[in-house]
Amino acid sequence: MSAPDESSSAKRWLPLEANPEVMSQFLWGLGLPPDEVECYDVYGLDDELLEMVPKPVLAVLFLFPYTPQIFLFQIEEERKMDCVRKDSSVYFMKQTVGNACGTIGLLHAIGNVTSDIKLLEGSFLDKFFKSTASMDPLERAAFLENDREMEVAHSMAATLGDTEATENVDAHFICFSCVDGELYELDGAKEGPVSHGLSSPRSLLQDAAKVIQGIIKKHPDSINFNVIALSKKAGEPQ
């Protein structure tokens, strides 16, 4: 979905579908080796279904309907929590391109685990994270907005889903990552990363699920929720 603070003249992309196969192919094409990470559907948030998700989980993406009620709820929650300092080790970027939240969610996911995975040397992702490492969130947003290679790759991925891509969407992706022992909500529509308390790589999925359940319970009439986990490929050394 478009970022709430985005101007009417801002650039708009087609949205990514909440499809783990499409997202995996997208990341592999940008320089994430296929034997490193893969995206998986999370079919439910109870313990039994969470146990079915391949481990270790590196990040969690959450797609939810961006209704006015949810937007106000998110703003209220943000006010209760402190955004991290600008010098934080959390990799975060703002969203200035319409419908780019899926790609930004994936960049948040990979950007916070670069020490745990191997990107192909000289690949798009390798160059992107090296180029933006010292930038602030708005500078990273501008870098992405002006990156033609990413725009083309995003557009190709957006047409690979099972549903017809359209600019008119009312859903929004955010990412949950564990950085330095804390669970962070990474939403390019917000001012910065939002901490949800202590976490660990082992408990990341369960901790994110609790936050997601809280959002869903606040909006029982909405049913269009999707959760996708980015996990190290099954069978790979941990």
Side-chain angles (χ1 to χ4, degrees):
M1 181 183 172
S2 302
D5 59 352
E6 177 189 309
S7 69
S8 60
S9 61
K11 180 182 292 187
R12 295 174 66 82
W13 293 352
L14 290 173
L16 282 185
E17 184 175 275
N19 182 320
E21 182 177 353
V22 169
M23 290 183 164
S24 293
Q25 294 288 343
F26 180 42
L27 290 172
W28 297 340
L30 292 173
L32 184 63
D35 61 354
E36 278 286 312
V37 175
E38 188 165 356
C39 300
Y40 298 93
D41 272 318
V42 178
Y43 293 107
L45 299 175
D46 57 70
D47 290 339
E48 183 177 348
L49 291 174
L50 292 178
E51 281 301 315
M52 295 173 58
V53 179
K55 310 295 189 305
V57 173
L58 301 178
V60 177
L61 292 180
F62 178 42
L63 178 71
F64 56 95
Y66 220 43
T67 62
Q69 293 81 4
I70 286 185
F71 175 67
L72 291 174
F73 170 73
Q74 291 285 86
I75 294 298
E76 178 86 14
E77 289 298 294
E78 186 178 10
R79 286 173 179 163
K80 296 177 183 177
M81 302 174 185
D82 292 330
C83 288
V84 298
R85 301 186 309 273
K86 290 183 179 180
D87 61 350
S88 167
S89 57
V90 179
Y91 185 90
F92 178 79
M93 61 189 299
K94 291 283 290 177
Q95 179 184 345
T96 57
V97 177
N99 297 329
C101 54
T103 288
I104 289 174
L106 290 171
L107 290 174
H108 279 148
I110 300 302
N112 284 294
V113 294
T114 52
S115 62
D116 300 318
I117 59 176
K118 296 178 181 178
L119 299 174
L120 293 176
E121 185 74 24
S123 67
F124 175 85
L125 289 176
D126 179 55
K127 292 185 291 185
F128 182 87
F129 289 120
K130 287 178 180 176
S131 297
T132 62
S134 61
M135 295 182 181
D136 66 32
L138 279 173
E139 290 172 334
R140 290 168 180 163
F143 189 90
L144 176 67
E145 186 170 346
N146 294 315
D147 196 306
R148 179 61 180 166
E149 183 178 353
M150 173 57 94
E151 183 175 357
V152 170
H154 173 102
S155 297
M156 291 178 63
T159 62
L160 295 177
D162 296 326
T163 57
E164 183 178 355
T166 174
E167 288 188 0
N168 299 316
V169 295
D170 58 357
H172 187 63
F173 276 106
I174 59 177
C175 175
F176 292 93
S177 295
C178 177
V179 182
D180 295 337
E182 286 193 61
L183 176 68
Y184 286 100
E185 174 188 334
L186 306 171
D187 181 352
K190 293 187 174 181
E191 290 305 310
V194 176
S195 173
H196 286 276
L198 296 178
S199 186
S200 70
R202 185 179 295 272
S203 66
L204 167 60
L205 179 60
Q206 288 75 13
D207 296 336
K210 291 177 183 177
V211 178
I212 292 170
Q213 285 174 323
I215 297 174
I216 293 175
K217 286 179 182 178
K218 290 285 186 178
H219 310 281
D221 296 331
S222 299
I223 60 173
N224 297 321
F225 298 96
N226 293 87
V227 182
I228 294 175
L230 277 75
S231 303
K232 290 282 281 187
K233 288 293 289 288
E236 290 296 305
Q238 298 186 19

